[in-house]
Amino acid sequence: MMSTTQTIDLTIDGTNISVPQGTTILKACSQAGITVPSLCHLEGICSNASCGMCVVEVEGAKSLVRSCVQAAAPGMKVHTTSARIMESRRTVIELLLANHPDDCLSCLRNGTCELQSIAELMGVRHRAFPRTKKPALPDRIGWGVMRDNDKCILCGRCVAVCREMQSVSAIDFVGRGVRSHIAPFMDKPLSESACVSCGQCTVVCPTGALTERDETDEVFAALYDPNLTVIVQTAPAIRASLGEALGMPAGSLVTGKMAAALRRLGFAKVFDTQFSADLTIMEEGSELLSRLSNGGTLPMLTSCSPGWISFIETFYPKLLPHLSTCKSPQQMFGSLAKTYWAQKTGTDPSKIVVVSIMPCTAKKFEAKRPEMRDAWAWWKDKGRSDAPYFDVDFALTTRELARMVRRAGIDFTNLPDEQFDNPLGASTGAATIFGTTGGVMEAALRTAYEVAVGKPLPSLELAAVRGFDGIKEATIDVGGTPLRVAVAHTLKNARVILDGIAAGTSPYAFVEIMSCPGGCIGGGGQPVAPTWLKREQRRTAIYTEDRGLPLRKSHENPEVKTLYTEFLGAPLGHVSHELLHTEYALRGV
Amino acid sequence: MSAKTLHDLAARGMATVHPDGPAISVGLGTCGIGNGADVLFDALSDAADSGPILVKKAGCFGFCAEEPLLMLYRPGKPILMFSDAKASKATKFIEAALDDKAYERIAKTARAKISRWDFRTSVLEFGTGFPSVPEWNELAFFKGQEKLVLRDSGLIDPENIEEYIAIGGYSALSKAISGMTPDQVIGEVTTARLRGRGGAGFPTGVKWKLMRQNEAPQKYIICNADEGDPGAYMNRNEIESDPHMLIEGMAIGAYAMGATKGIVYVRAEYPLAVERLTKAIADATAAGLLGDHVLGSGFSFNMEIVTGAGAFVCGEETALIASIEGKAGRPSPRPPFPAQKGYLGMPTNINNVETWCNVPVIVARGAAYFTAIGTEKSPGTKVFSLVGKVKNTGLVELPLGTPLRDIVYGMGEGAGAHKRIKAVQTGGPSGGCIPASEFDVHVDYESLAALGAIMGSGGMVVMDQDNCMVDVARYFVGFTSGESCGKCAPCREGLSQMLRILNDISRGKGTEHDLVELERLSRVIKDSSLCGLGQTASNPVQTTLKYFRDEYERHILEKRCEAGTCESLFTALCENSCPLHMNIPGYIALLNAGRIEDAFELTLRDNPLPGSMGRICHFHCQMRCRRDTLDEPVAQGEIHRYLADTMYKMGREKDVWARLAKERKPATGRSIAIIGSGPAGLSASFYLSRLGHEVTMFDSKPKAGGILRYGIPAYRLPKDMLDKELELWKRLGVKFVFNTTVGKDIAMETLRGQFDAVIIAIGAQSDRHLGVAGEDLAGVHPGYEWLEAFAQGKAAKPGRRALVIGGGNVAIDAARTLFRQDCEVTVAYRRTKADMPANAVELTGAEDEGIRFEFMLQPIEILGEHGHVKAVRFKVMRSGGIDASGRPAPVETDRTVDIPCDDVYVAVGEHVESGYLSKAGIPASRDGRVTADGITGLSTGNVWAIGDAVTGPATAAEAMGLGKRTAKAIDTVLMNRDVFRTLFKDFDHSMCVPPEPTKTAMYRARVVPPEERRGNFQEISLGYTGEQAIAEAARCLRCDIRADALGPWR
């Protein structure tokens, strides 16, 4: 955080207040206990100053001042309410509503829409202006992110987050005047653009213009179908955010309640993606050691974040050999559920529906990658002739699960804590920390170190790879050999790592990359309107969970061990190769 | 580059700027080329092929209305300027350049001469001679202009750096680099109080200082040449005509601010400007005036041109920078200001073309020279592109602080006598409309802002009565809405809503609430938009609402567009301009179909006096007839006169009248008194009676008709025609109370108490006085009063020599009446014949009859003998500049002339005599006109007022129009109903587009020859024959045939 070098004094609505120099009026107002409304401002990401809601009066200024970009100045006299300000804000919101459809009741963001709540705050009680532009057609072609430009208020947050945070720039403003809209290149569907489905736009969008593809109806239908066995896996980050999505404070850790809720929703088995996260460490750790000892392509890059996979496939296809061939934990789980578990329990694999609860919109896309049908292929080799099915049938976001819980009338806060089912439900603390940036690295090192050196890491918690710095570096002494590693989150930082690799200047052996800010806890499928504070609270929950678990290293996971003995043999073995590893494709746009 | 080489370049340049042999130059700006200057130039080059004559290009001299401009020079003589120079005359000009006699001959046709020219950085004396040819700055267009920025335009070849250097160009740069520190340069600009010419008027010196203070590895200066206002082209011309002036200004600025790179952001639509500037940059670089080590100093400066696709929002600094960076032109919030973080994140200064162009003069001549021009707060000049409804369009450069009136009527010379200038739009879409009533405003930043307009970059669009102000606002909001970058909500959404509302209003779908919303949106968009585009985009709406609110109301409440612009609101321009909104295309179509009775009925329902008005109307319809653009307007009035005459002749009008009487609405029980039975009162009573009201008309005269009976002589309107038409009122049951003067015989209060509504329709019949000595002499007659007395047989026998003073219809009526009394009649008028307000047909009639006219005479004294007039003494006038009436103002000379006479008839206008009404509590203006609502005619309480009593002297048709409108309003108020439109009837008729017209003049009705008119009051015009009427009707172009055609009384 910026150190406060100098403070300045100003008055806001007659009250004196001191703020650090450079503070925006908006922030100063917030410090003074006044919430100035804004629909476009997004701390650290978007200072587009486009919506015009945050106007205040500054004595001596000719027009109203946008408090989100104007810095407070010494002696400034700010007024946050007056007839002039209220007329302006009300008019602006009425203007925005003019070309916004009146379909709040059927909108995915009903209840979480910032436009809706500001309209209510501003006292809008009737439609003041008629439409002046033609309704836009929604883009519902891809798997991850859906766009409905008709609901777009052109605040520009999505453009800013896509460009500034993710360096993807899949979308931008197009056209002038009332014809201006947000669009991918040449107005093509998002799925034909450089979009990597990270979904960061969906968490910052103030309205229902950018959302995940909602698959709750499909999942309910499967749950109510007696012919199907619907099982569920939950990603590590969900336990730190589902409570928040259901009205509990940010950072509430709800592992047990989540398991209970899923069971009440009717899932036949409630499993944990953390199981396959531990498995990932076994495979990926082995792969790293193998690369290190066999002169493989280095640095090796982690492969569990599907937005990141799309990113490298799209922008740096030449660097694909650096990617670990490991599937993500979600996909490892899916292929094992429909092979190992199906076989073990005698369940018809074609009747198994694997639902995953993910903090991520890219996971929806990942689940639908055509190559992700390894279980089906495995059974086919065994002589079955089912119609092709995916390893994972539905990847729901945290938000969708919250919606299902509410729809089912479950009193989430008062649920008892329950356990995951076996055999795909056991996990270690190493798997839990997958949910935050640096977690995969830390988990991998906990195991790899022990495998290579033969004794545990001196300290299990690696401070060097923790925290929200964009790129973190560490050198671990692995039995006398220094191992240089790095951790990057957000694709803008990923780009820095990749540019280094492309330039041949990257000093690392192993790099963890996650698409989203803070890792999965800040994922595109997480509760909307995130702040760094909320991400920090979620992260704390993750680390708390890890610290409280009896087993904290992936190779200690008893069920993973059983899996290897019963089914896989050894890491990187033949079955692993078939079910747990994958190949990547050049994408390009 | 040494001083020597610069000197050599200057010497070479001087040989062509001020050659020692004959030379011809042609203004080759884009506007000149558009008018054929390039063809002229080629023709001259061909013709001059073998001769010892220099044919060269020049920039634009600014007189767009008279392009192409050609300048002919022979040593020792002034430069002769020729306007509208055609290529066909190329050989003549070449011949004149070479041959003395031909030269003398052609000199007589020169538009102006230039004896000496002040280039500001030097002065050249070209020569003397040709006293009869005015100096260039004696022409109205150039009078008062101060060519500071346009100092070289039109005088030098913009593609020749040598000429620029020859007249002192780059001396300021040299002076700055070699003799001044950067701070001194900034100090000079600051002291000069130069303000940004791009529109906002920010002090340039301050801006430069801020930029200078920011240290950075690279600093940029940018010239904004992305002129995007509709109607503005100053910057284009400045670059096209004098590109080095811009380069020099920027180089000085770069030196002062510590920048080494300059970018000119010019719109791609200006190819010639780009071409010339590109060449100029190359030439300046080659000459060592740009590039590394400018003029051998340590200062380096490189320039490049970036062409933009043209976006209005790029006038905003941050958007312009984004555009240069290759991004979409969208503004970003400030701070950071460009001076802190601009192009490529480096400190950047942006100034408009014209700002840069002022810099060399300030540096060369010093700040004091500059501040001596213009006003205290706004020194210097501003270039405007004066366009729209003025005679002289073009680029004008004037000292700031010049009254707007001087620009519109002085340099622009107005819009002519027949069109009334309504407003000027300054500052383009970001500016505002300044109404004619505010033309005394001094053109400077603050004064214009006080009126709600802005100086802007200098567009100045003049608008007249044919421009609808709602449409003007709609146009500009359409522009800004389309050019809004779409980023910020108030601008994007607000302008789009504003445009929708304005579209609705102009289509007759507006509501009164729309005006409330327009005002709210204007306030909010102005107050909360992110950049200048949005913050100023409301200005056209706010100013038109402020100054022309009545036009909005008329569109909304009456669904009418008086200017005839909003096509959804009328059937055809003739209908729209008719104060009675007669369905002219309708009766013409019916006549064409041989349906005379239907045609008559259609006219009668719109105009209850079709025979009378067909004779004496001002024919507003003809003034907007589209046929006029082909040959002559259609004689719409003559046609309805024919219809009425024919029906009356056959006695068939009775059937129609019976129909009207029969369909009279059931008695309402409401009674209405109308004071005055002139055209206004008759029209109101016709409709009110048909609506079922009991109408009583009071008149001080013994018979009905007012001015129609007592003002207009019988040779124009036979009284039996009037009597015939008045029979209809009896059938409708209108009561008349004659010989009764309200205020004398019956009190106003009594009427107000006895009747549900009282309409004042007393007209404007009190003659104005001359206010000169001798007006009380016997034999001096007020014109209108005399006409009335004559019509009643009360006038004494006039003396032989009659002198009529005035130029309006009353004057001509008096003159022609006197002619019929065997007088020798002279009419004296203070302006020219062309400026007479009388109907043209009356004027020619009078001339045919041998009435003598004396023009440019202003009476100063009436001379008498034994108490009786014997002569009138006049001051002889001459034509001065154009006044607010659009005519040359008569200006006194020192000569006087006496015209002897036996009687004088003073017909210099009439006014409303409303003293007794004021006493009765009826509001009136100082000149006596009764105050009434512009749309309903409501004056106060249950009193309404119509006709000349409200408007002052106007036409009979206008008076009837007001009567009609008020009848509707009164019925609505008294009965709370909306049935007025049921008084009209649609007749189905042909809606086929007529065949392609061929040129055919208007058919003229037969007239009694002048020699048969003396001594009698027989009607002069005999009206159309049937064949003529049908032939004339066939001339109608049927503008009413449109997909969205509507009837006038929907």
Side-chain angles (χ1 to χ4, degrees), chain B residues 75-330:
Chain B
K77 293 286 178 191
I79 294 177
L80 295 175
M81 183 176 97
F82 297 87
S83 58
D84 294 318
K86 298 281 180 301
S88 55
K89 290 208 282 189
T91 44
K92 279 226 166 76
F93 283 117
I94 296 294
E95 193 186 318
L98 298 171
D99 177 75
D100 290 350
K101 273 204 183 124
Y103 179 64
E104 295 292 333
R105 247 195 333 270
I106 209 161
K108 293 192 187 90
T109 67
R111 188 79 167 89
K113 66 184 174 195
I114 299 171
S115 304
R116 80 193 277 279
W117 188 259
D118 185 356
F119 290 98
R120 310 287 166 171
T121 43
S122 70
V123 175
L124 282 183
E125 305 278 350
F126 290 104
T128 51
F130 308 114
S132 63
V133 177
E135 234 1 285
W136 68 281
N137 53 10
E138 286 168 358
L139 297 186
F141 179 68
F142 292 106
K143 208 175 211 165
Q145 285 205 43
E146 180 86 52
K147 285 181 176 270
L148 198 71
V149 169
L150 303 177
R151 54 192 178 268
D152 308 326
S153 298
L155 276 297
I156 64 165
D157 179 355
E159 295 178 13
N160 186 346
I161 189 172
E162 295 165 356
E163 293 201 358
Y164 183 71
I165 294 172
I167 48 96
Y170 289 112
S171 62
L173 176 63
S174 167
K175 177 179 169 186
I177 296 176
S178 59
M180 295 168 85
T181 64
D183 285 330
Q184 281 174 325
V185 175
I186 293 178
E188 202 68 43
V189 173
T190 310
T191 315
R193 298 192 298 279
L194 174 63
R195 300 173 65 170
R197 299 294 194 241
F202 191 80
T204 306
V206 176
K207 199 170 179 178
W208 285 20
K209 198 170 170 194
L210 289 172
M211 168 82 167
R212 169 139 194 93
Q213 286 162 352
N214 291 317
E215 283 308 323
Q218 177 69 57
K219 294 203 238 177
Y220 295 94
I221 59 169
I222 294 175
C223 169
N224 178 1
D226 186 56
E227 194 169 42
D229 306 17
Y233 53 93
M234 301 78 51
N235 294 164
R236 187 197 73 210
N237 248 311
E238 283 150 12
I239 298 177
E240 281 176 3
S241 299
D242 200 5
H244 288 285
M245 146 177 89
L246 172 62
I247 295 173
E248 187 178 5
M250 287 184 75
I252 294 171
Y255 172 72
M257 287 180 269
T260 54
K261 284 196 177 145
I263 299 168
V264 181
Y265 183 74
V266 57
R267 46 179 42 219
E269 293 97 317
Y270 285 178
L272 186 61
V274 171
E275 183 192 316
R276 289 193 179 153
L277 187 60
T278 307
K279 181 174 191 309
I281 290 174
D283 290 350
T285 309
L289 294 159
L290 283 179
D292 294 340
H293 305 293
V294 171
L295 291 167
S297 72
F299 165 64
S300 299
F301 181 58
N302 288 290
M303 276 178 71
E304 61 169 310
I305 298 174
V306 172
T307 49
F312 188 62
V313 73
C314 285
E316 190 67 24
E317 294 186 329
T318 51
L320 187 148
I321 290 172
S323 176
I324 295 181
E325 287 173 348
K327 300 174 190 157
R330 286 200 170 77

Side-chain angles (χ1 to χ4, degrees), chain A residues 372-405:
Chain A
M372 294 300 180
R373 290 174 168 131
D374 287 340
W376 170 76
W378 190 81
W379 283 111
K380 200 173 164 215
D381 284 350
K382 301 246 176 307
R384 285 187 66 111
S385 54
D386 301 311
Y389 47 81
F390 286 104
D391 295 341
V392 173
D393 298 276
F394 298 105
L396 301 186
T397 59
T398 315
R399 303 191 287 266
E400 287 167 276
L401 176 58
R403 248 172 253 143
M404 288 184 73
V405 171

